[in-house]
Amino acid sequence: MSMEWGNKRYYSLNYFLRQKFGEKIFKISLDGGFTCPNRDGRVSKNGCIFCSPRGSGDFTMKNKDLSLQFEEAKAMMQKKWRSGKYIGYFQAYTNTYAPVDVLREKYNTILEKENVIGLAIATRPDCLPTDILELLEELNSRTYLWVELGLQTIHEDTARLINRGYAMETYVSAVEELKKRNIDVVTHCILGLPGETNVDMLETVNFVAGTKTQGIKLHLLHLMKDTPMVKLYEEGTLKLMERDEYVGLVADCLEKLPPDMVIHRLTGDGPRATLIGPWWSLNKWEVLNAIDDKLVERDSWQGKKYGL
């Protein structure tokens, strides 16, 4: 190996945060009460076809006061870990899709909490007008911040199929604007989208590698009840990935990524009650361990084939 990241063969978020802050850092997922332009009619009323009715916030506490959400999640974490600090993760729906004053109030509610050292804000590239970029720049000057952008794929045919609702140029512009303000960017990619081959998915990962965003999230496509994608599955257009297939593909992806890009996620899961499949995704630690084993088996690591 050319590099070591603790006991991993990739640059994990846990390792990055421990190195940066010198202690355990926990993300607390939050539902800020936002909606999405791909749901309220500004872009579409149907949403992305894979997105659950909770707007990817299935593990947040919907309809609860934001401060209470934070305190309850923190209390649960403290039962297992007695010490550490926190990042407030605005996860559900589109978390820059509101007037600046509303956003500032919600973000500050979490930043004022004891032992909060930063924010993570998930949003769409088409929801970053200048005034909100300026707010994010202000936040970045006084706390640790990263912004997550849901790219999912670089292939326009797939983007139309999943009803993403914006063009590639919008993502590229958003990355440029955030990086211009020295704000860390984390890109979401989904592996297993309908009709995509391993070659297609690796092309997306290669593209993200070239952007040199600070981090990446690799998501396993998991099928949820009450999503438009169920119809594709019932028609046979969508085939869910097998575990070994997914593990090998993730190893391929890691080999292509730059060694200084932080790996924020390597799989995806959903609530058991609403998950259609793949069911093996519920065994998250088994999947992560299998990825570790695959890298050892190959004598491989993140960045081994970067730029090749």
Side-chain angles (χ1 to χ4, degrees):
M1 289 178 63
S2 60
M3 297 186 68
E4 291 278 356
W5 299 279
N7 63 345
K8 295 289 186 184
R9 289 180 172 236
Y10 57 87
Y11 193 9
S12 71
L13 176 62
N14 182 62
Y15 184 84
F16 165 76
L17 291 173
R18 278 193 177 275
Q19 294 298 304
K20 185 174 181 66
F21 295 103
E23 61 183 309
K24 179 67 176 175
I25 305 296
F26 305 95
K27 279 195 312 177
I28 293 185
S29 295
L30 302 165
D31 185 332
F34 301 105
T35 183
C36 174
N38 209 12
R39 291 173 179 266
D40 72 359
R42 197 191 88 180
V43 172
S44 167
K45 292 186 177 180
N46 300 317
C48 297
I49 67 170
F50 56 81
C51 193
S52 72
R54 290 290 310 278
S56 298
D58 297 282
F59 297 104
T60 60
M61 301 177 185
K62 187 175 176 63
N63 298 326
K64 282 196 175 185
D65 173 79
L66 193 56
S67 180
L68 183 61
Q69 287 184 52
F70 180 89
E71 294 298 340
E72 289 188 3
K74 178 180 173 182
M76 286 190 289
M77 289 180 177
Q78 287 178 329
K79 291 178 182 179
K80 187 171 182 180
W81 295 282
R82 299 303 298 271
S83 64
K85 291 188 169 60
Y86 305 93
I87 288 175
Y89 178 29
F90 284 83
Q91 181 180 20
Y93 301 99
T94 303
N95 293 277
T96 60
Y97 191 45
V100 167
D101 290 345
V102 173
L103 295 174
R104 181 180 285 108
E105 186 273 329
K106 289 181 184 289
Y107 299 157
N108 283 337
T109 294
I110 301 304
L111 285 176
E112 290 165 3
K113 295 289 185 181
E114 183 180 5
N115 289 329
V116 169
I117 50 82
L119 296 177
I121 299 173
T123 190
R124 290 170 56 90
D126 55 354
C127 291
L128 290 169
T130 301
D131 58 345
I132 289 174
L133 286 166
E134 290 172 352
L135 171 61
L136 295 174
E137 186 174 19
E138 172 197 323
L139 290 171
N140 195 49
S141 69
R142 61 187 177 95
T143 192
Y144 180 57
L145 173 71
W146 76 69
V147 173
E148 301 189 4
L149 301 177
L151 173 63
Q152 321 310 0
T153 179
I154 64 168
H155 301 288
E156 294 292 358
D157 288 347
T158 310
R160 284 191 292 272
L161 177 64
I162 65 175
N163 197 41
R164 188 178 66 188
Y166 67 84
M168 272 295 298
E169 292 78 9
T170 305
Y171 164 82
V172 172
S173 175
V175 170
E176 289 174 352
E177 291 297 326
L178 289 165
K179 291 175 77 171
K180 188 189 304 180
R181 294 165 172 82
N182 297 313
I183 297 169
D184 283 347
V185 181
V186 178
T187 301
H188 290 230
C189 302
I190 296 180
L191 305 180
L193 288 169
E196 290 208 341
T197 65
N198 283 14
V199 171
D200 294 328
M201 291 178 261
L202 285 169
E203 286 175 348
T204 292
V205 170
N206 272 326
F207 178 85
V208 175
T211 68
K212 296 186 177 179
T213 55
Q214 184 265 355
I216 189 171
K217 283 188 171 183
L218 298 177
H219 295 270
L220 165 69
L221 179 73
H222 51 277
L223 181 61
M224 309 295 293
K225 296 177 182 177
D226 301 321
T227 60
M229 198 164 59
V230 173
K231 183 179 180 182
L232 297 182
Y233 181 66
E234 292 172 344
E235 293 172 347
T237 306
L238 170 65
K239 179 181 179 295
L240 300 178
M241 297 187 80
E242 300 292 340
R243 196 190 79 160
D244 289 350
E245 177 188 11
Y246 183 77
V247 167
L249 177 60
V250 169
D252 294 340
C253 293
L254 288 171
E255 291 172 346
K256 291 290 190 179
L257 292 170
D260 59 350
M261 182 175 284
V262 180
I263 309 302
H264 285 239
R265 178 179 283 272
L266 283 181
T267 185
D269 53 4
R272 183 179 295 270
T274 56
L275 181 69
I276 295 174
W279 278 90
W280 55 261
S281 66
L282 294 174
N283 300 315
K284 182 177 179 179
W285 287 108
E286 289 185 8
V287 178
L288 294 175
N289 289 338
I291 293 168
D292 290 341
D293 291 344
K294 177 61 70 174
L295 292 171
V296 171
E297 175 190 317
R298 292 184 180 186
D299 188 26
S300 192
W301 56 87
Q302 179 181 339
K304 185 177 183 179
K305 298 180 181 178
Y306 172 55
L308 299 179

